[in-house]
Amino acid sequence: MDKIGTLLCALAALLAGGCRGRHATGAQPSLRVEVIEAATDTVPNRMSFVSSVESNFDALIEPRVNGYLVNKYFSSGMPVRKGQLLFTIDPNLLSTTLLSAEASLESARAQEVSARNNYERAVPLARIDAISQTQLDQYTAEYVAAQAAVRSAEQQVRNARLQVGYTRIYAPIDGIIASSSAHTGDYVGVGTQFSVLTTISNIDTLTVDVAIPMAQYLRSAGPRTSIFDNAGLLTDIRLMLADGTEYPYEGLYDYTRKDVSSTTGTLVLVVMFPNPDRSLKPGQFARVEASVGPVRPRVVVPQACVSQAQGVNSVWVVRPDSTAMYRRVI
């Protein structure tokens, strides 16, 4: 424990008439004050930040094919699971395209059989010079072209089946689904006013932006190697809810946003909080308290020794010559 100075802790009490040691006889009392030696201790630099809770990420639900919306299979604002059916689009037009592609594939396969038979008959005839080499080359080319036509037709069928499959839209993630402005019968898809049907917000982990003034950051960060990586700058991260209760799960540093705000001069760090019971919802008020920077030694005194006047904190310090000196404290 280092001796920083001696504090006159009872001075405020004396001024208020609470001095001890007055004589009952009415004689002039002798002033007795309590003195305490200041000490050094490691005190974390706790800061409070007001922000809001946001989802970890949002998934846009966009139709991959154009068509008329047939039905919706969810309730707006409710949780949905990955793989859950959300929308169906009328598949009739795309089903017709699929049938046409399948018919073209069958035709290509028939032509391949004919070309293969011609080639297989021509090979032994060419060996005995019954047909010319030119004719054999022609049959060979026709067979190779027929095989390529089959592969192309098979790809067209696969593509048509994919298009039909896209008429059923499923949830890509777990989360909370927003409402949709598209209704049954609306024409949806790329290039329409309903190119985005809805969004799903992931709420397994929620994030909060913590904005630190650059002056405070530079004082607290110390000799850090990179302003972009601030892992370890914030510790003991706690979330206080709107009713004053503390969220039971501790926060973790996620990342630092790439720009310093030009309007507020703050560096924004993103912290994340687990939300296993889904008690947090995107957009709600959040007050984050965290220890900023390394724990440094500080001079500590009892609160009773500190006087406050017009927003200024001060103490009285006893000098070596036993005189008192006023000193402001932070």
Side-chain angles (χ1 to χ4, degrees), residues 213-226:
M214 278 303 299
Q216 176 66 42
Y217 172 81
L218 294 175
R219 288 195 299 267
S220 303
R224 305 186 69 84
T225 58
S226 173

Side-chain angles (χ1 to χ4, degrees), residues 211-218 259-268:
I212 303 179
M214 278 303 299
Q216 176 66 42
Y217 172 81
L218 294 175
D259 296 327
V260 176
S261 173
S262 59
T263 56
T264 61
T266 57
L267 184 69
V268 179

Side-chain angles (χ1 to χ4, degrees), residues 7-13 34 36-39 43 299-309 311-316 327 329-330:
L7 306 176
L8 301 180
C9 295
L11 184 58
E34 180 183 359
I36 296 178
E37 292 184 352
V43 179
V299 178
V300 293
V301 297
Q303 184 65 38
C305 298
V306 181
S307 301
Q308 292 183 337
V312 177
N313 297 324
S314 62
V315 294
W316 289 91
R327 181 176 295 174
V329 295
I330 299 177

Side-chain angles (χ1 to χ4, degrees), residues 45-163:
N45 179 27
R46 297 293 289 179
M47 293 185 65
S48 180
F49 309 91
V50 176
S51 187
S52 60
V53 177
E54 302 297 339
S55 62
N56 193 20
F57 63 91
D58 294 334
L60 297 180
I61 308 302
E62 301 175 295
R64 298 188 181 185
V65 295
N66 290 25
Y68 292 97
L69 193 64
V70 175
N71 211 340
K72 297 191 294 186
Y73 301 92
F74 62 89
S75 297
S76 300
M78 297 299 292
V80 294
R81 305 293 298 179
K82 180 179 179 180
Q84 178 179 334
L85 179 63
L86 302 178
F87 300 93
T88 54
I89 298 174
D90 185 4
N92 290 332
L93 182 60
L94 296 173
S95 297
T96 301
T97 303
L98 174 59
L99 293 175
S100 177
E102 289 174 341
S104 297
L105 175 60
E106 292 301 321
S107 176
R109 285 174 175 171
Q111 292 178 6
E112 180 193 19
V113 171
S114 176
R116 183 178 67 246
N117 291 338
N118 290 337
Y119 169 74
E120 291 175 348
R121 284 194 294 265
V123 169
L125 294 175
R127 290 174 182 169
I128 61 175
D129 295 328
I131 61 174
S132 65
Q133 185 63 37
T134 301
Q135 289 177 305
L136 177 61
D137 292 342
Q138 181 180 353
Y139 289 132
T140 303
E142 291 175 353
Y143 181 35
V144 172
Q147 290 177 314
V150 169
R151 290 194 296 271
S152 178
E154 289 174 341
Q155 182 58 43
Q156 293 297 323
V157 170
R158 284 193 292 269
N159 182 65
R161 286 175 179 166
L162 280 176
Q163 297 297 308

